[in-house]
Amino acid sequence: MPDELSLVLAQSLVGAVESSGGFAGGVYLRSGTPGLLRLAVLAGLPGPLFRPWWRMHVNRPFPVSEAYRTGRPVLLSDAEEAMRRFPQLMAGLPFPFGSLWAPITGRRGSVGVLVVLRTSTPGQPVAPADGDRLHRLGRRLGDALSGLERQGVACVWEGEPAPVQLPAATAPPVRVGRFDWDLRSGRVSADDELCAILGFEPAAFPGTVDALAERLVPEDVYGLWALARQTAESAEPVVRRMRLRGPDGRSHLLELSGRWARPGGDSPAGRLTGFLVDLGSGPVVPEAADRLPRGILSLDRLGRITYANALAEDLLGHPRTELVGRPVWQALPWFGHEAYEDHYRAALIADEPVHFLARRPPSRWLSVSLYPAHDGVSVVLKDTDRPAYTPGSLTAPGLGIGSTADRSSALYRPVALAIALTEAVTARQVSEVVTEELLPAFGGRQIAIYLLNERHLHLAWETGFPKGFLDRFDGVGLDVRIPGVETLTTGRPIFFESMQRLAEAYPGIPIDADVGARAFLPLIASGRPVGSCILGFDRPRGFSPEERTVLTALAGLIAQALQRAQRYDSEAALARGLQDALLPHRLPEVDGVDTLGRYLSGTQGMDVGGDWYDVIETGRELALIIGDVQGHGVAAAATMGQLRSAVRAFALNNHDPHEVVSGTNRLLIDLDPGQFASCCYIALDPATGVARAVRAGHPQPVLRHPEGRTEVLDLPGGIVLGIDGDASYPVTEMRLEPGAMLALFTDGLIERPGTDIDEGIERLRATVERIGAAPLADRADQVIGEARAATDRPDDIALLLAARWAGTGRTRRPPTAGAAWPDLWRTFRRPDPGSTEAAPGPAS
């Protein structure tokens, strides 16, 4: 017995599908995982074929997520509207269908989503009444779920979706009438149901076989008498059947049973009992299907085989007993291939016939046609020859480029492409992903991406075209009549099976040496033009409706990724500009102390972080500061600039170290509640080497003593800045001897994925100890060298070295470090002792 929750969901879903004129539907409910919806009930569609849609996060760009988040229905009349608004949905279901998505709302907001799929209505928006009706049903279902929760029923879903068979369309009911026929007297007694089938009022039925025969056509009357005679003449009890045409023209099934009693018998003499069955609209007639020169299967909407004719048994190699009652992909495992499943999905969702070729292992080829209806699918099978592959054909599984695996790759590659695009940050990375994922899926050899800027298309990426061929189209205006422009201005993809067709459509357009097909795709994101994408093939080929739909949907995904990349590029440029302006361009020169700072950006996302360092002269002392603001991008860079300015202001006003850090902490809380940063501030007296250090949640500095011994300091400290305005920050006093070096750094230098941070600290300590008394720039090279060589650096790095030496007036060498990696890091230093350089400055 189904549980109460399943019954409530199923009842509501069936009512929603029927009232909305749909052919399938589902209910998504919250799960125990925050933000995750699960498909709880699925009606009119086989669950295993829709497994990728069983789980949906509320932040995904899908209509079910939008309906849940906004609390408003999402109404999609056709595939074109769905592709424009939700390209990810159409990338996985590239079929023409309409859909309605309504939130299920309870006392605490959305608890799920009610979904109805129905026939596509191109150019006709969904009637507001349909959306309002489904919205009301969603609220009513939400009230029912609230009632269950008050009874202690948890209205969350964790398992697989419960399958629901939708009721068949309204049809005449199946009726059974009974009669007794006395062969001696000709009298017939009939029940009310028989009278209704034959069109008599029960009281008006004269009770004779002649009156019954008057309602039948002559040929059926003769058959009826012949059947009665055969029954009467049999010495044994017999059952005979025949079909009769009723007064309304529909077929009825007549069954007669009885025998003619012999002398001494105890049965009524010459009496027959009959049943007349009115089959309503009429199911599949087995004998008719068995006569067809085609294999016939009948499937319900859940994919279960309900009938198989004799030729289907032969073509499929299984008797009916092994077929009927089982899902088709279980009875015929080879039919469960993802490409054939996709055809079955297309028939169910598009509600249109689908034709394809299939190979029954090991080598028998079948022509398969699927004819969907409200209550099931008819499958027609026929033997066929091994097909010859033609370019672009998707109907020849197992044959080279046109194989089943290739076709499914073309239809399922959107998933891989969508995942890869989420990891692509820059426009170049997006273009690389498209080249690696899209071209192999469709057998393409060339790709070009143009981006729109000030009403001109500029070539951003190309591969496979003859060198220099596309230069003539770079910077072309939107008023030029070429396919790459028109696909964007019209918003419609343009396909050419060959370059000859392209030349015929655009006379005079430059043509490269290739003769293959071309696809021109508009890149439009959220209704805004981004650019256009050109796919080239080295041979002529056609584009099936599925391919066109998938390519159009993929173009939407690519456009969204490029739009994000353009926003990122703008933000990254602004953040780098901010950071360049805010980090010190020159560190102060102070006798007795050399300082050097370096910054190394992370590789993941190539984003700019909030790490910073500074050196400030404060009268008798030199302030050494390093810090790390949470996050990356413009916000982190801007906060870093504000903190650097605050620290500098407090320090230049001769505040004690703990006052500098405490004041900066309170300022950060006022400026940006919720933002936090770590910091280490050391005030060093160059003359005496006395240092006063304050630490706010920052990694401990590393100190190398003059004799080479190196230790990680153990400075007491307070919590990170920005958390508690009353936090205290203790001051630790220590002394740097001449020849000692202090290393301040951010956590990016010591963190490695999968390793403990203590290992990173020890690795840094050992490196500093091992480098000896080399020039400060060489020491920095060795400290930061391992991080610089890493291909995967999740965070940026700031490093500040301070080395104390005795005496003044020493000659200095010009700076030597930094030139080899100008785009990744910068070196700021006071020249080393012994240099002949007259004035210090930034390293080149």
Side-chain angles (χ1 to χ4, degrees):
M1 178 70 181
D3 60 87
E4 186 67 20
L5 176 59
S6 300
L7 289 174
V8 169
L9 296 178
Q11 181 180 356
S12 299
L13 178 58
V14 170
V17 172
E18 290 184 336
S19 64
S20 301
F23 54 76
V27 176
Y28 282 89
L29 275 190
R30 292 181 302 186
S31 69
T33 303
L36 181 66
L37 301 177
R38 286 185 178 270
L39 185 60
V41 176
L42 181 63
L45 295 172
L49 264 64
F50 292 85
R51 186 179 297 273
W53 294 271
W54 286 7
R55 296 156 48 95
M56 190 65 62
H57 198 277
V58 297
N59 290 327
R60 299 287 304 281
F62 284 85
V64 61
S65 305
E66 181 169 311
Y68 182 88
R69 290 194 313 268
T70 64
R72 296 191 299 270
V74 175
L75 311 177
L76 304 174
S77 62
D78 58 11
E80 183 176 348
E81 182 179 9
M83 280 190 291
R84 186 174 64 252
R85 296 179 58 186
F86 303 98
Q88 288 89 340
L89 172 69
M90 299 309 296
L93 295 171
F95 317 118
F97 67 98
S99 58
L100 314 178
W101 314 73
I104 302 170
T105 51
R107 293 173 298 173
R108 297 189 298 273
S110 297
V111 298
V113 176
L114 189 59
V115 186
V116 173
L117 306 184
R118 61 185 197 175
T119 304
S120 175
T121 56
Q124 300 179 15
V126 176
D130 290 347
D132 293 341
R133 183 188 308 109
L134 194 65
H135 202 183
R136 288 195 300 271
L137 291 174
R139 289 195 293 266
R140 191 178 305 164
L141 177 55
D143 293 339
L145 295 179
S146 297
L148 290 179
E149 287 183 333
R150 286 192 294 270
Q151 299 173 24
V153 177
C155 294
V156 296
W157 199 268
E158 297 294 349
E160 297 183 358
V164 176
Q165 181 74 290
L166 290 171
T170 302
V174 175
R175 298 177 293 179
V176 179
R178 184 180 186 279
F179 66 93
D180 287 314
W181 182 3
D182 187 333
L183 296 177
R184 295 183 184 278
S185 65
R187 298 291 301 172
V188 174
S189 61
D191 65 6
D192 293 350
E193 202 67 37
L194 181 86
C195 293
I197 294 173
L198 295 179
F200 289 108
E201 289 293 336
F205 179 57
T208 66
V209 71
D210 293 333
L212 187 150
E214 289 177 357
R215 297 303 177 105
L216 305 177
V217 295
E219 57 268 28
D220 285 349
V221 173
Y222 294 131
L224 176 63
W225 279 105
L227 184 64
R229 182 177 292 251
Q230 287 179 350
T231 304
E233 291 178 352
S234 174
E236 301 295 331
V238 294
V239 176
R240 294 285 188 271
R241 290 178 182 171
M242 68 176 293
R243 293 191 180 275
L244 303 177
R245 194 179 73 174
D248 59 0
R250 289 186 293 111
S251 175
H252 305 315
L253 176 66
L254 174 67
E255 179 178 285
L256 290 176
S257 62
R259 69 178 178 181
W260 194 276
R262 294 293 184 240
D266 56 2
S267 296
R271 184 173 296 277
L272 299 178
T273 299
F275 293 92
L276 188 64
V277 182
D278 176 7
L279 298 172
S281 57
V284 174
V285 181
E287 58 267 30
D290 282 341
R291 291 190 291 269
L292 292 175
R294 302 281 192 277
I296 304 293
L297 295 178
S298 181
L299 313 179
D300 65 17
R301 295 284 301 191
L302 302 185
R304 296 173 300 196
I305 301 173
T306 58
Y307 171 77
N309 74 347
L311 187 54
E313 293 181 285
D314 175 66
L315 292 174
L316 299 176
H318 294 277
R320 297 183 205 194
T321 54
E322 295 179 4
L323 297 173
V324 175
R326 302 178 65 192
V328 63
W329 45 88
Q330 290 183 8
L332 307 170
W334 56 269
F335 202 85
H337 191 284
E338 57 189 13
Y340 304 148
E341 287 182 349
D342 188 72
H343 286 304
Y344 191 59
R345 271 193 294 266
L348 290 174
I349 294 180
D351 198 29
E352 296 176 352
V354 173
H355 312 279
F356 60 98
L357 302 185
R359 184 174 61 188
R360 195 199 98 186
S363 58
R364 189 168 190 172
W365 284 87
L366 302 175
S367 170
V368 182
S369 296
L370 307 176
Y371 297 92
H374 179 85
D375 54 354
V377 178
S378 294
V379 184
V380 179
L381 307 169
K382 183 182 178 182
D383 253 329
T384 190
D385 297 329
R386 177 184 177 90
Y389 168 68
T390 56
S393 171
L394 295 182
T395 59
L399 296 179
I401 293 178
S403 68
T404 296
D406 218 33
R407 181 189 185 283
S408 10
S409 174
L411 295 175
Y412 290 90
R413 201 77 176 215
V415 178
L417 178 62
I419 294 172
L421 286 176
T422 61
E423 300 174 355
V425 177
T426 66
R428 181 179 183 84
Q429 290 171 341
V430 171
S431 301
E432 290 174 345
V433 166
V434 172
T435 301
E436 294 170 1
E437 297 290 346
L438 191 60
L439 283 184
F442 292 89
R445 297 294 181 268
Q446 302 161 321
I447 189 168
I449 295 177
Y450 286 83
L451 297 180
L452 181 65
N453 184 28
E454 296 183 353
R455 296 189 58 78
H456 287 77
L457 286 173
H458 297 276
L459 183 61
W461 179 269
E462 66 167 304
T463 184
F465 286 93
K467 185 176 181 180
F469 174 75
L470 295 178
D471 292 347
R472 70 196 73 189
F473 303 109
D474 193 13
V476 67
L478 295 186
D479 56 346
V480 178
R481 187 177 179 271
I482 58 175
V485 171
E486 291 193 348
T487 189
L488 181 62
T489 55
T490 63
R492 295 193 302 269
I494 305 174
F495 299 93
F496 297 100
E497 295 181 356
S498 67
M499 294 301 289
Q500 179 183 353
R501 297 287 180 87
L502 173 60
E504 292 171 355
Y506 294 88
I509 189 172
I511 301 293
D512 61 2
D514 202 349
V515 297
R518 290 286 186 273
F520 297 84
L521 308 175
L523 302 180
I524 300 174
S526 304
R528 296 183 178 181
V530 176
S532 58
C533 177
I534 304 171
L535 297 182
F537 302 83
D538 58 3
R539 290 181 293 175
R541 56 159 290 167
F543 296 90
S544 70
E546 293 105 324
E547 285 182 305
R548 292 173 184 243
T549 303
V550 169
L551 284 170
T552 304
L554 291 180
L557 291 178
I558 296 167
Q560 290 184 355
L562 286 170
Q563 191 178 59
R564 289 196 308 269
Q566 289 176 325
R567 286 197 299 265
Y568 166 80
D569 289 339
S570 298
E571 180 176 318
L574 176 58
R576 292 187 187 280
L578 276 173
Q579 194 165 55
D580 286 342
L582 295 173
L583 284 174
H585 287 200
R586 181 186 294 268
L587 299 183
E589 299 178 70
V590 177
D591 283 339
V593 177
D594 279 337
T595 57
L596 181 146
R598 286 188 179 171
Y599 173 82
L600 189 64
S601 62
T603 60
Q604 292 189 1
M606 298 301 291
D607 211 345
V608 177
D611 293 21
W612 94 96
Y613 59 85
D614 206 353
V615 178
I616 308 169
E617 290 185 87
T618 61
R620 291 181 51 207
E621 292 181 316
L622 189 68
L624 310 173
I625 307 107
I626 196 160
D628 187 358
V629 176
Q630 170 205 19
H632 294 80
V634 173
T639 302
M640 176 268 284
Q642 292 173 315
L643 291 186
R644 176 174 179 262
S645 298
V647 172
R648 178 170 284 272
F650 285 122
L652 291 175
N653 280 291
N654 294 317
H655 286 281
D656 288 337
H658 75 91
E659 293 175 335
V660 172
V661 176
S662 296
T664 304
N665 174 48
R666 290 190 294 271
L667 180 65
L668 178 57
I669 292 174
D670 292 338
L671 286 173
D672 190 358
Q675 180 67 281
F676 59 86
S678 65
C679 179
C680 185
Y681 181 98
I682 299 177
L684 173 64
D685 184 340
T688 65
V690 174
R692 295 179 295 160
V694 176
R695 193 173 61 85
H698 200 81
Q700 296 279 2
V702 172
L703 175 62
R704 187 181 192 279
H705 295 276
E707 74 279 8
R709 181 175 60 87
T710 303
E711 63 175 316
V712 179
L713 298 179
D714 186 16
L715 304 178
I719 61 174
V720 293
L721 307 177
I723 301 297
D724 181 5
D726 296 325
S728 61
Y729 298 95
V731 177
T732 301
E733 188 171 302
M734 57 183 178
R735 177 178 171 80
L736 267 67
E737 300 292 340
M741 185 190 75
L742 192 64
L744 307 180
F745 53 90
T746 55
D747 54 9
L749 185 61
I750 55 176
E751 288 181 340
R752 274 187 183 175
T755 63
D756 190 84
I757 193 170
D758 290 338
E759 296 180 22
I761 293 174
E762 173 55 28
R763 185 172 58 251
L764 173 62
R765 187 206 65 78
T767 300
V768 173
E769 185 174 72
R770 186 175 60 252
I771 58 180
L776 205 57
D778 294 343
R779 302 187 202 185
D781 283 343
Q782 296 186 53
V783 169
I784 211 169
E786 183 179 351
R788 186 175 58 236
T791 58
D792 184 14
R793 192 168 51 254
D795 201 0
D796 44 356
I797 297 169
L799 173 68
L800 178 61
L801 301 182
R804 184 166 177 255
W805 48 276
T808 59
R810 302 177 61 181
T811 58
R812 305 181 178 94
R813 293 189 307 237
T816 57
W821 302 276
D823 294 331
L824 293 179
W825 55 275
R826 297 180 305 279
T827 301
F828 304 93
R829 61 183 292 273
R830 182 185 185 278
D832 295 329
S835 172
T836 58
E837 184 183 18
S844 59

